């Protein structure tokens, strides 16, 4: 079918036409000096808070590393974000910045009834006051809910070593590894959580593993339950032992039965076979190793393509603020919960006040006690603080700007995490828009395309075995994306035939346990102002008499708009239909009379993971909802806490309570809470590691009638090609095709240390 082509000369007319797109002229109002309000604490500030706390002798503080639980110590210091209304007043109307404060978490263990207390310390940089940050009524964090500190881990390691002394010969015989005088053949452990079955308990299952490369994949077959609730480690006791499918009352009982030949023993094969190949002096790699083995049919022995930016970066970093085309935003890396982008503007308007990671959980099934007990709630494992070094060229392009992070978490000084974050622009490899305008007779009227470029802000969290990659992605057309990739080692347990009901055999003695990953995000949209409404659009079929042939019926789609008045109405449960178009609308209209809106588009395979109200489900009630919309409240800024993991039965933060008052959400400051995730049934290709392809989830925030036309029209990147009679095509571009220096990046370097400063 041939479409009518337009008359000649049209192309020329277009070339001559003025560029009528009025470029919005504005300078981002919140440059570095104002964005400081969002900045994480500097080393000096963290030290000032630490010194201020230590100067209060009545707190009787001791170093975090002191090897006892019966002490008072500072566990966490991080920036305490001022109230939103104060920040907005400062940003938009000027005046003095709100007081800069720190949140300090202190474990008071040196008293008969130990407790956890949180304080606000300020004003920074020279603090002179501290005030208690009171928990919500009835929501005091219990002593048992505190995260495990490195001092407690040291004591736990020692306790395990002592407790398993009777099993020395048993371990040597069954694994060739041991805990005593072990040199290169030692055992190690993985602990799981929750730590017990009811509030106030602190008893953990430990999986004993061979301490080799990728030890997560080398269980010995022995798991052990240790009660470590007492602040006196002398009182810690082993309550249960599990070995190869059977329970024992104590290590002594297992050792005795083993000597008597009453234990069904599995002798592990040596993980690193001694049989060195003749060609190589190196030992063959372990199955849990990254070292290459095998060959591709088409071997590759040269380095791959890499990114260059011949004319330098096209984004600007001013402290913690990024300026990129239409975008400007600030960011911080909270030690407790992770990456937060703040004060997100496109053009000259605020689109979101905050988009942030709140929590990441992984809930497991298994046949071993550790497998069936595992419900990891990662903020309780320092989700925001385990931001280890990114490798240039691998974790981020060589051209990225790398930034350090500071965390004061379970430490006595701020600790510098070099290259914890990166910012980079990259081609997406697919055009943002393009069109080939055929003339349907062997040629074209024009070709036009806009290359796809995005700006990425990235960090990672290595929560013990697993690595999450956290991205915020900014597109030139006003679209913003939040994305999590999962990688690293799977959490795995000892293989038993019964375990196959809960996972996959991944090696001789290894079962990859099924689990669900869920991530919770807070999305505080401010779509052209703080007053927004939430509505959805769906498609509804209508059946009408065909107006141009009344003898016929006609079925066609119509728009069905739903408005939501109250929080409960806009809390969508899993397994309940979620409308396709989720819109956050400003009362203002675009040029065409439509409400200026942003659309939330969720990319997730998450589902309900626990029955409502089930014991530990209390800690993750947010996981009931792929989307819940609430009215902004200063008391509802986090959906989880560092305490939810170790007391999931009575956690201090219960998201469900945010919905209880069922507030009006029409023309209010709205917050969207988004749960994304996926079911992970491990498979043999998860060895050695879970790979990122297919293991990413997230959401997009897309303008929907927010602008009058695609705002990427302001980009100078498009290329238009016009055919010319009897001559070469005319290539029209707005950025000269200039040659830049194709600089080689700096040679690869990776330090890997994180040290106090
Ligand atoms: Cu997984």
């Amino acid at each position: 079918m041939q479409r009518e082509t337009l008359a000649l000369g049209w192309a020329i007319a277009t070339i001559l036409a003025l560029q009528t797109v009025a470029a919005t002229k504005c300078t981002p109002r919140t440059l570095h000096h104002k964005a400081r309000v969002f900045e994480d604490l500097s080393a000096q500030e963290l030290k000032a808070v630490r010194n201020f706390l230590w100067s209060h002798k009545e707190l009787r503080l001791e170093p975090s590393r002191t090897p006892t639980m019966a002490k008072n110590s500072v566990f966490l210091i991080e920036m305490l974000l001022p109230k939103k209304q104060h920040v907005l007043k400062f940003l938009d109307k000027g005046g003095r910045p709100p007081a800069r404060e720190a949140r300090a978490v202190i474990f008071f263990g040196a008293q008969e009834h130990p407790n956890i207390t949180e304080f606000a310390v300020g004003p920074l940089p020279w603090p002179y006051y501290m005030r208690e940050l009171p928990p919500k009524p009835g929501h005091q964090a219990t002593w048992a809910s505190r995260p495990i500190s490195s001092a407690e881990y040291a004591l736990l390691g020692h306790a395990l070593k002592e407790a398993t002394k009777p099993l020395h010969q048993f371990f040597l015989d069954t694994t060739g590894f041991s805990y005593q005088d072990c040199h290169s053949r030692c055992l190690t452990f993985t602990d799981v959580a929750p730590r017990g079955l009811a509030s106030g308990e602190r008893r953990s299952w430990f999986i004993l593993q061979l301490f080799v490369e990728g030890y997560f994949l080398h269980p010995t077959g022995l798991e052990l339950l240790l009660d470590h609730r007492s602040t006196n480690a002398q009182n810690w006791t082993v309550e249960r032992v599990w070995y190869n499918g059977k329970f024992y009352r104590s290590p002594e009982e297992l050792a005795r039965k083993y000597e008597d030949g009453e234990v069904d023993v599995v002798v592990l094969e040596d993980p690193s076979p001694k049989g060195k190949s003749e060609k190589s002096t190196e030992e063959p790699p372990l199955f849990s190793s990254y070292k290459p083995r095998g060959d591709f049919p088409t071997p590759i022995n040269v380095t791959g393509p890499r990114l260059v930016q011949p004319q330098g970066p096209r984004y600007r970093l001013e402290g913690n603020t990024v300026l990129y085309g239409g975008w400007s935003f600030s960011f911080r890396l909270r030690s407790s919960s992770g990456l937060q982008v703040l004060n997100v503007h496109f053009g000259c308007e605020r689109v979101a006040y905050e988009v942030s990671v709140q929590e990441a959980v992984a809930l497991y099934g298994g046949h071993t006690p550790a497998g069936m007990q595992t419900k990891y709630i990662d903020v309780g494992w320092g989700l925001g603080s385990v931001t280890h070094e990114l490798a240039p060229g691998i974790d981020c392009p060589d051209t990225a700007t790398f930034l350090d992070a500071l965390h004061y978490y379970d430490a006595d000084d701020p600790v510098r995490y070099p290259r914890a974050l990166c910012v980079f622009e990259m081609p997406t490899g697919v055009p943002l828009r393009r069109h080939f305008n055929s003339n349907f007779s062997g040629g074209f009227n024009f070709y036009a395309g806009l290359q796809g470029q995005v700006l990425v802000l990235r960090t990672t969290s290595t929560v013990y075995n697993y690595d999450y990659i956290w991205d915020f992605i900014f597109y030139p057309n006003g679209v913003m994306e939040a994305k999590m990739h999962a990688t690293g080692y799977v959490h795995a347990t000892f293989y038993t035939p019964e375990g196959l009901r809960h996972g996959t055999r991944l090696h001789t003695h290894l079962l990859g346990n099924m689990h669900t990953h869920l991530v919770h995000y807070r999305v505080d949209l401010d779509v052209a102002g703080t007053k927004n409404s939430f509505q959805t659009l769906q498609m509804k079929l209508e059946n009408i008499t065909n107006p141009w042939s009344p003898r016929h019926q006609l079925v066609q789609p119509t728009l069905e708009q739903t408005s939501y008045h109250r929080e409960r109405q806009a809390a969508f449960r899993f397994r309940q239909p979620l409308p396709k178009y989720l819109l956050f609308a400003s009362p203002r209209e675009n040029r065409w009379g439509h409400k200026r809106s942003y659309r939330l588009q969720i990319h997730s395979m998450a589902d309900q993971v626990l029955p409502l109200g089930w014991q530990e489900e209390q800690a993750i009630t947010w996981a009931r909802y792929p989307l819940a919309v609430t009215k902004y409240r200063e008391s509802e800024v986090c959906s989880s806490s560092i305490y939810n993991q170790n007391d999931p039965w009575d956690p201090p933060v219960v998201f469900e309570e945010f919905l209880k008052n069922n507030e009006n959400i029409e023309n209010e400051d709205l917050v969207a809470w988004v749960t994304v995730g996926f079911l992970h049934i491990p498979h043999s290709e998860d060895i050695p590691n879970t790979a990122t392809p297919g293991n990413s989830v997230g959401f997009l925030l897309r303008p929907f009638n927010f602008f009058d036309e695609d705002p990427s029209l302001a980009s100078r990147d498009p290329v238009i090609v016009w055919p010319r009679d009897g001559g070469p095509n005319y290539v029209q571009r707005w950025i000269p095709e200039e040659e830049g220096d194709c600089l080689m990046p700096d040679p690869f370097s990776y330090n890997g240390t994180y040290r106090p400063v």
Side-chain angles (χ1 to χ4, degrees):
M1 198 175 76
Q2 176 138 347
R3 295 195 203 177
E4 203 179 325
T5 54
L6 289 165
L8 278 170
W10 176 41
I12 307 299
T14 313
I15 295 169
L16 297 175
L18 290 168
Q19 290 169 42
T20 52
V21 184
T24 338
K25 286 271 180 259
C26 81
T27 42
R29 275 185 279 176
T30 314
L31 292 177
H32 183 36
H33 67 285
K34 276 199 171 178
R36 267 216 76 200
V37 73
F38 300 117
E39 208 163 53
D40 282 316
L41 302 182
S42 67
Q44 291 73 19
E45 287 174 318
L46 288 165
K47 285 182 183 188
V49 175
R50 191 256 332 259
N51 294 344
F52 174 76
L53 292 170
W54 274 77
S55 73
H56 282 260
K57 296 297 174 206
E58 74 280 8
L59 297 176
R60 292 183 293 121
L61 291 174
E62 289 186 65
S64 65
R65 59 180 176 275
T66 307
T68 173
M69 298 293 96
K71 63 165 192 262
N72 300 348
S73 60
V74 179
F75 183 72
L76 166 72
I77 303 172
E78 64 180 10
M79 193 267 275
L80 184 66
L81 206 58
K83 286 186 175 150
K84 179 177 176 180
Q85 61 178 110
H86 297 161
V87 175
L88 287 186
K89 196 172 160 222
F90 166 64
L91 294 179
D92 299 342
K93 301 196 173 78
R96 285 165 60 86
R100 200 160 152 77
E101 293 186 328
R103 169 196 182 204
V105 176
I106 302 185
F107 293 170
F108 289 97
Q111 51 196 43
E112 197 190 339
H113 299 289
N115 76 54
I116 302 161
T117 311
E118 301 202 356
F119 297 96
V121 177
L124 295 175
W126 298 288
Y128 58 78
Y129 64 80
M130 61 192 287
R131 83 189 128 82
E132 199 177 323
L133 291 168
K136 284 182 209 160
H139 282 301
Q140 172 73 45
T142 55
W143 176 242
S145 74
R146 71 198 190 283
I148 312 272
S149 62
S150 52
E152 188 166 6
Y153 272 120
L155 291 169
L156 285 169
H158 183 73
L160 284 176
K161 199 170 167 180
E162 284 299 309
T164 56
K165 265 187 179 161
L167 292 169
H168 182 61
Q169 196 56 45
F170 166 83
F171 281 134
L172 281 179
D173 295 349
T174 57
T175 70
F177 284 58
S178 72
Y179 250 133
Q180 335 285 335
D181 313 318
C182 50
H183 308 293
S184 67
R185 294 169 80 82
C186 290
L187 296 175
T188 185
F189 64 83
T190 289
D191 56 327
V192 310
R195 305 175 189 279
L197 301 167
S199 181
E201 293 188 3
R202 198 173 179 87
R203 44 192 185 125
S204 309
W205 276 99
F206 291 83
I207 304 168
L208 294 203
Q209 296 150 326
L210 312 185
F211 189 53
V212 294
E213 188 183 347
Y215 52 83
F216 314 102
L217 305 184
H218 295 272
T220 60
L222 189 131
E223 297 179 358
L224 192 147
L225 177 64
L226 184 94
D227 189 326
H228 51 113
R229 181 173 173 174
S230 171
T231 48
N232 182 355
Q234 302 293 324
N235 299 334
W236 294 357
T237 50
V238 174
E239 293 190 329
R240 283 290 222 171
V241 176
W242 179 92
Y243 176 68
N244 189 30
K246 292 203 175 60
F247 288 95
Y248 301 87
R249 271 189 291 274
S250 64
E252 289 77 9
E253 186 190 71
L254 172 59
R256 195 168 58 245
K257 288 196 167 160
Y258 171 66
E259 274 169 35
D260 297 346
E262 290 170 26
V263 175
D264 184 11
V265 165
V266 177
V267 177
L268 304 191
E269 51 196 53
D270 196 320
S272 43
K274 284 282 170 288
K276 289 176 186 173
S277 79
E278 286 169 23
K279 289 175 201 160
S280 157
T281 51
E282 255 192 59
E283 288 186 3
L286 297 179
F287 76 86
S288 50
S289 166
Y290 263 68
K291 288 176 193 147
R293 55 247 197 199
D295 291 296
F296 286 131
T298 313
I300 297 174
N301 292 308
V302 292
T303 57
R306 60 169 91 214
L307 217 64
V308 292
Q309 40 189 28
Q311 298 180 316
R314 307 200 300 173
Y315 55 88
R316 205 161 84 226
L317 252 170
E318 294 186 0
N320 62 327
T321 299
V322 182
L323 305 164
Y324 172 65
W327 291 104
S328 77
F329 61 92
S330 300
F331 61 88
R332 67 180 287 223
L333 188 47
R334 275 206 300 192
S335 305
S336 53
S337 59
L339 197 53
Q340 221 172 2
V341 296
L342 295 142
N343 199 29
V344 182
H345 281 66
F346 193 91
C348 300
E349 286 176 298
R350 190 171 293 119
V351 171
Y353 181 71
E354 174 191 332
V355 184
S356 61
V357 179
Q358 294 292 311
E359 185 59 277
V361 305
L363 312 182
Y364 290 75
H367 175 247
T368 78
M372 66 182 75
Q373 180 70 17
T374 308
K375 291 181 177 66
Y376 285 135
I377 306 176
D378 286 333
V379 168
W381 300 74
L383 185 69
S385 71
V386 281
T387 55
H388 295 289
E389 188 170 343
L390 298 166
I394 302 163
D395 295 321
C396 317
D398 302 287
T399 48
T401 305
F402 291 88
L403 300 160
D404 298 352
L406 292 166
H407 298 298
Y408 196 109
Y409 183 94
D410 190 20
D412 298 310
D413 282 294
V415 174
R416 180 179 299 280
Y417 286 70
R419 291 183 187 163
L421 294 141
C422 67
V423 181
F424 57 90
E425 190 187 12
M426 66 166 189
T428 56
V430 66
L432 191 87
R433 325 180 234 116
R434 63 93 70 187
H435 178 63
F436 177 84
N437 196 240
S438 176
N439 69 2
F440 304 100
S441 54
F444 66 119
N445 299 317
F446 71 91
Y447 161 84
L450 176 60
Q451 54 180 257
Q453 307 275 11
V454 290
L455 181 111
V456 183
L457 169 67
R458 173 173 293 168
T459 190
T460 59
S461 304
T462 302
V463 189
Y464 202 52
N465 55 306
Y466 240 78
D467 298 64
Y468 300 104
I469 301 171
W470 304 106
D471 284 357
F472 288 105
I473 307 166
F474 299 83
Y475 295 78
N477 62 339
V479 174
M480 178 192 162
E481 184 174 5
K483 199 171 186 178
M484 179 277 273
H485 288 91
T487 179
Y489 284 95
V490 291
H491 174 59
T493 56
F494 194 68
Y495 168 78
T496 60
E498 297 89 339
L500 292 174
R501 294 185 57 238
H502 309 281
T504 307
R505 189 177 192 171
L506 301 179
H507 213 268
T508 318
H509 305 297
L510 188 69
L511 186 94
N513 299 66
M514 69 184 299
H515 55 279
T516 299
H517 294 276
L518 294 175
V519 174
H520 202 219
Y521 285 95
R522 181 174 200 267
V523 188
D524 177 0
L525 286 157
D526 284 1
V527 182
T530 53
K531 297 288 174 225
N532 294 157
S533 297
F534 173 65
Q535 47 191 231
T536 60
L537 276 178
Q538 299 199 82
M539 184 270 265
K540 194 181 171 189
L541 291 176
E542 68 171 7
N543 186 335
I544 57 167
T545 304
N546 190 328
W548 52 269
S549 180
R551 286 185 299 112
H552 293 96
Q553 288 295 110
L554 182 141
V555 169
Q556 64 169 348
T558 62
L559 286 176
E560 187 182 51
Q561 188 194 302
T562 312
S563 295
Y564 294 76
H565 314 293
R566 304 227 157 242
E567 288 176 336
R568 278 276 173 218
Q569 234 185 324
F572 297 88
R573 287 252 159 92
F574 280 111
R575 299 182 187 178
Q576 172 194 336
L578 187 64
K580 301 274 183 296
Y581 276 66
L582 307 164
L583 303 172
F584 293 82
S586 155
R588 296 188 196 145
E589 291 176 353
N590 74 353
R591 195 168 157 191
W592 319 114
H594 292 289
K595 293 232 160 61
R596 301 186 62 200
S597 307
Y598 252 77
R599 175 186 174 196
L600 170 69
Q601 187 176 331
I602 299 174
H603 291 226
S604 167
M605 308 242 283
D607 200 352
Q608 192 181 315
V609 281
L610 286 171
L612 294 195
W614 177 257
Q615 297 177 8
E616 303 89 2
E617 198 256 353
Q618 200 58 206
I620 53 163
T621 52
W622 51 264
R624 297 172 181 179
Y625 309 102
L627 170 65
V629 181
T630 63
K631 179 180 161 182
Y632 185 98
R633 264 183 178 273
E634 211 53 64
S635 58
E636 297 174 358
V637 289
C638 294
S639 62
S640 193
S641 79
I642 60 171
Y643 314 110
N644 281 36
Q645 172 71 90
N646 289 338
D647 193 349
W649 309 279
D650 185 18
V653 179
V654 180
F655 175 75
E656 186 68 27
E657 294 175 357
F658 298 4
L659 308 174
K660 271 225 172 95
N661 48 11
N662 199 20
E663 282 176 288
N664 174 52
I665 52 168
E666 272 174 306
N667 217 20
E668 293 287 354
D669 189 358
L670 300 186
V671 179
W673 304 86
V674 180
T675 302
V676 294
F678 63 98
L679 170 66
H680 186 179
I681 303 172
H683 46 97
S684 47
E685 296 82 5
D686 279 309
I687 302 298
N689 271 191
T690 297
T692 53
N695 287 324
S696 69
V697 289
F699 61 88
L700 298 163
L701 297 173
R702 303 172 54 187
F704 188 83
N705 296 322
F706 187 81
F707 304 102
D708 296 333
E709 57 183 6
D710 183 344
S712 69
L713 282 163
S715 167
R716 293 295 178 272
D717 283 338
V719 173
I720 310 180
V721 184
W722 307 98
R724 270 200 297 222
D725 289 336
N729 292 338
Y730 174 62
V731 179
Q732 194 178 15
R733 48 171 81 240
W734 286 261
I735 297 175
E737 198 181 16
E738 232 169 64
E739 281 174 41
D741 292 329
C742 184
L743 291 174
M744 278 300 285
D746 293 336
F748 183 79
S749 70
Y750 195 85
N751 182 289
T753 61
Y754 40 105
R755 295 176 189 283
V757 288

